[in-house]
Amino acid sequence: MKHLTSAVAAPLVGALAGWLLLAVPAAQAQPATPAAAEPDIVVVYTDADARAVLNARIAALKTVLELTPEQDKLWGPVEASIRKIAADSMARGKARSEAQPPADVFDVLGRIADAEATRAADLKAFVEAARPLFTSLTDAQKARIPAFLGMAGSADSPLSTRSLWLFEEEER
């Protein structure tokens, strides 16, 4: 699995490094804003960007799985579940950003608990939608899934929903 992860990560790291090489000098060339002036807010990741990234991830996952024609018939519910999770996650993130500030630490903890319970329900729905496809996959196909969902770590280390790209729009 480490070999697959590094094979996947290397092109991504290269692309990120190339972007940083281009972006950092441009950022350094900007004139400093006076301390009293409020800088304009620049949206660098729009909802359209999020949809494009989601489409790319879904296409990548399906491509990496190399589904047979029979397996492809089971893909629809998986993709629909991923899209629902992403849309719900984006809506929760927007609602959270527009919510009143928490009153105290217990309000914060309550909000975290609510978010985790919702993510758990979404993840269970995804598992149920994906189970028929998963049972039809070969061991090689099954081994590709964790890396492409964003699961990092080893089998003996705990994971959270935070590592899954399915829920990242909530954190934006």
Side-chain angles (χ1 to χ4, degrees):
M1 187 53 149
K2 287 182 182 179
H3 184 343
L4 174 61
T5 303
S6 62
V8 171
L12 294 175
V13 170
L16 179 60
W19 179 83
L20 285 173
L21 287 173
L22 294 174
V24 171
Q28 291 173 346
Q30 300 297 321
T33 32
E38 288 273 334
D40 290 335
I41 295 175
V42 177
V43 177
V44 294
Y45 191 78
T46 66
D47 290 351
D49 295 334
R51 282 189 303 277
V53 168
L54 177 64
N55 290 337
R57 285 179 168 161
I58 290 171
L61 178 59
K62 188 174 182 184
T63 300
V64 163
L65 289 176
E66 297 178 325
L67 300 176
T68 66
E70 286 302 310
Q71 292 169 332
D72 193 56
K73 293 175 185 174
L74 302 171
W75 175 254
V78 176
E79 182 172 339
S81 178
I82 291 171
R83 289 189 184 283
K84 182 180 182 325
I85 288 171
D88 291 351
S89 181
M90 182 181 285
R92 285 192 306 270
K94 285 182 179 184
R96 189 178 66 232
S97 71
E98 296 168 358
Q100 293 294 318
D104 54 38
V105 67
F106 290 102
D107 191 16
V108 172
L109 291 173
R111 290 179 188 192
I112 292 170
D114 290 344
E116 287 301 316
T118 302
R119 288 183 190 131
D122 284 348
L123 195 53
K124 284 184 180 260
F126 170 75
V127 167
E128 291 308 310
R131 191 168 305 281
L133 173 63
F134 186 79
T135 58
S136 76
L137 299 177
T138 66
D139 288 343
Q141 289 171 309
K142 289 176 184 178
R144 297 176 192 143
I145 293 173
F148 280 88
L149 289 180
M151 297 172 71
S154 62
D156 58 344
S157 68
L159 293 171
S160 73
T161 56
R162 192 173 189 90
S163 69
L164 299 173
W165 57 258
L166 297 171
F167 300 104
E168 80 179 7
E169 288 305 317
E170 191 169 344
E171 303 301 325
R172 182 161 66 103

